[in-house]
Amino acid sequence: MPVFTTQQKAYAQYKNNKVMSASAPELTLMLYDGAIKFLNVADYAIEKKDLEKANTNIIKTEKIIDYLRNTLDMKYPVAQDFENMYSYIARRLVEANIGKDREIVAEVNRHMHAIRDNWIEVMKANHVYVKDA
């Protein structure tokens, strides 16, 4: 069983509180940020030939995309646009993982940054407070 320092425990509690107190738009932003983080780790892992770590982080990104797809409310027309975008990203992630392809990881990362940046603008336009952005 791992032993955690007081600082590690405090940080874990902070992160938990941040998630538990976040609004739905903020949670979506956190998911986008998480996907970007995992893509960055996967890219570095591929560069260093750590294929297991690359696989793990690409799969983490796939799970985020799957979650985002599953939470779409298809009664809104824009949801189909998001479905198409997430579907494309999901396919590219599988291709990136199979080939451990840094170019595809970079492409998906660019898409995730664009989606995240647009989401922040939507949040601001709707007067949702954007922390750390």
Side-chain angles (χ1 to χ4, degrees):
M1 176 178 269
V3 177
F4 296 101
T5 66
T6 302
Q7 186 177 11
Q8 289 170 321
K9 289 179 186 174
Y11 182 69
Q13 184 62 42
Y14 164 77
K15 283 176 46 177
N16 185 54
N17 288 344
K18 186 176 177 182
V19 170
M20 297 305 288
S21 64
S23 66
E26 289 170 325
L27 289 171
T28 300
L29 180 59
M30 288 178 196
L31 289 169
Y32 291 146
D33 285 339
I36 291 167
K37 173 187 153 194
F38 296 139
L39 288 166
N40 290 336
V41 172
D43 180 60
Y44 184 76
I46 294 169
E47 179 184 9
K48 297 300 179 191
K49 308 285 190 248
D50 187 344
L51 303 184
E52 184 177 335
K53 188 172 191 173
N55 176 63
T56 297
N57 283 279
I58 291 171
I59 288 173
K60 287 179 180 181
T61 307
E62 289 174 349
K63 288 181 179 180
I64 289 172
I65 297 302
D66 286 345
Y67 177 81
L68 291 166
R69 288 176 79 183
N70 288 328
T71 60
L72 290 173
D73 188 343
M74 299 309 282
K75 71 180 177 185
Y76 299 103
V78 72
Q80 187 59 55
D81 295 333
F82 277 94
E83 170 57 27
N84 294 341
M85 183 174 54
Y86 292 150
S87 177
Y88 174 78
I89 288 171
R91 282 193 312 274
R92 294 300 279 164
L93 285 168
V94 170
E95 293 167 2
N97 207 2
I98 290 170
K100 299 301 183 271
D101 190 320
R102 290 184 71 203
E103 287 184 28
I104 298 174
V105 171
E107 174 202 337
V108 172
N109 206 340
R110 286 189 301 274
H111 291 309
M112 293 309 302
H113 272 89
I115 295 166
R116 177 194 182 274
D117 293 347
N118 285 327
W119 187 251
I120 289 171
E121 292 307 313
V122 168
M123 290 173 68
K124 288 177 181 176
N126 289 290
H127 309 290
V128 176
Y129 176 68
V130 181
K131 302 173 199 161
D132 306 323

